[in-house]
Amino acid sequence: MSSMDSFGAKGTLDVAGVRYEVFRLDAVEGSGKLPYSLKVLLENLLRTEDGANITADHVRALASWDPEAEPDTEIQFTPARVIMQDFTGVPCVVDLATMREAVVELG
């Protein structure tokens, strides 16, 4: 998915003979101080960095997050999966299908 690796974060993890692609957060200065939820977002940015929609500047902006500062950079988030409970997931899927149909109608 990722076509860039500006921070040299991409690596492999070998577990019982199976190799997994990983993106090491410690390759980005400032990542250690982030709360867990932002570390998840940082890993997503590293994994999907393409130089156009997600750039090294986005990664740096997140790594230098200051909880006291006003937000000044919009960060992309491209999840691969979203897990929801059945009673909230079904209406969400219906809403997404409806939005998809509306977008098709708009061209």
Side-chain angles (χ1 to χ4, degrees):
M1 182 187 272
S2 174
S3 60
M4 300 189 71
D5 185 17
S6 299
F7 298 88
K10 189 175 186 178
T12 57
L13 182 64
D14 191 344
V15 178
V18 179
R19 296 182 64 131
Y20 297 94
E21 181 179 72
V22 297
F23 289 82
R24 302 189 187 284
L25 299 183
D26 59 0
V28 181
E29 185 178 341
S31 64
K33 67 174 178 57
L34 295 175
Y36 183 77
S37 59
L38 292 183
K39 287 180 180 182
V40 171
L41 181 56
L42 180 62
E43 189 273 341
N44 180 264
L45 291 178
L46 290 170
R47 183 172 295 280
T48 57
E49 179 189 8
D50 62 3
N53 294 316
I54 299 171
T55 66
D57 288 337
H58 290 121
V59 174
R60 283 188 206 94
L62 182 59
S64 63
W65 173 73
D66 177 3
E68 304 297 322
E70 286 293 318
D72 63 355
T73 305
E74 185 174 320
I75 303 294
Q76 298 283 342
F77 181 54
T78 51
R81 292 175 184 84
V82 177
I83 299 172
M84 302 177 85
Q85 297 174 348
D86 285 346
F87 66 89
T88 57
V90 172
C92 180
V93 171
V94 171
D95 289 347
L96 289 171
T98 304
M99 287 189 289
R100 180 187 61 204
E101 291 172 2
V103 169
V104 169
E105 287 178 12
L106 292 172

